[in-house]
Amino acid sequence: MKKIIEIEELALTIAAIYLIYTLHIGLSWWVYVLLFFSPDIGMIGYLLNNKSGAVIYNLFHHRAAAIIVAGIGYYLLNDYLILAGLIMLAHASFDRIFGFGLKYYTGFKHTHLGVMK
């Protein structure tokens, strides 16, 4: 079952990256790579405490938040908001391939997918 979930997350990652490719935004390829990992800035909340870290991290890694951001961008015809939402979606799905799930308040390694090793 775990392999099926990993394949599903890979498919979501690839789909989001493809949709990013279809946007008419003229950025260099290295900027897209940098942006892909930008949701990890949410880890900065862990400098305060576990609860703040979990809330901020989860905000940047929640797929519903990503879809809302992209949806607002679509509604407003704003490719940059669509890009932000798709990057959040691609990154969150990519993280889940490797077992990085949404965080609990008990610590960074405690996720909705289980305890990370």
Side-chain angles (χ1 to χ4, degrees):
M1 184 60 129
K2 183 179 177 195
K3 203 46 113 180
I4 292 172
I5 292 171
E6 289 172 358
I7 292 168
E8 179 182 38
E9 297 299 343
L10 179 62
L12 280 170
T13 302
I14 291 169
I17 290 170
Y18 172 75
L19 290 173
I20 289 168
Y21 172 76
T22 66
L23 294 175
H24 300 290
I25 299 175
L27 299 175
S28 297
W29 68 268
W30 63 269
V31 176
Y32 288 106
V33 173
L34 185 67
L35 289 173
F36 182 81
F37 291 103
S38 66
D40 281 337
I41 194 75
M43 285 189 280
I44 201 161
Y46 281 98
L47 294 175
L48 299 172
N49 58 49
N50 282 341
K51 186 174 182 179
S52 296
V55 168
I56 295 168
Y57 181 92
N58 290 345
L59 180 64
F60 284 97
H61 288 81
H62 201 287
R63 290 194 296 217
I67 292 167
I68 289 169
V69 170
I72 291 169
Y74 181 76
Y75 178 75
L76 297 175
L77 302 174
N78 185 320
D79 282 351
Y80 293 98
L81 276 177
I82 297 170
L83 174 65
L86 289 173
I87 285 173
M88 289 171 63
L89 180 63
H91 179 87
S93 297
F94 181 77
D95 273 3
R96 288 186 177 107
I97 293 169
F98 301 102
F100 298 112
L102 298 174
K103 307 303 181 196
Y104 290 123
Y105 298 154
T106 53
F108 184 80
K109 292 188 174 204
H110 298 167
T111 77
H112 81 288
L113 300 175
V115 178
M116 294 173 17
K117 296 177 184 173

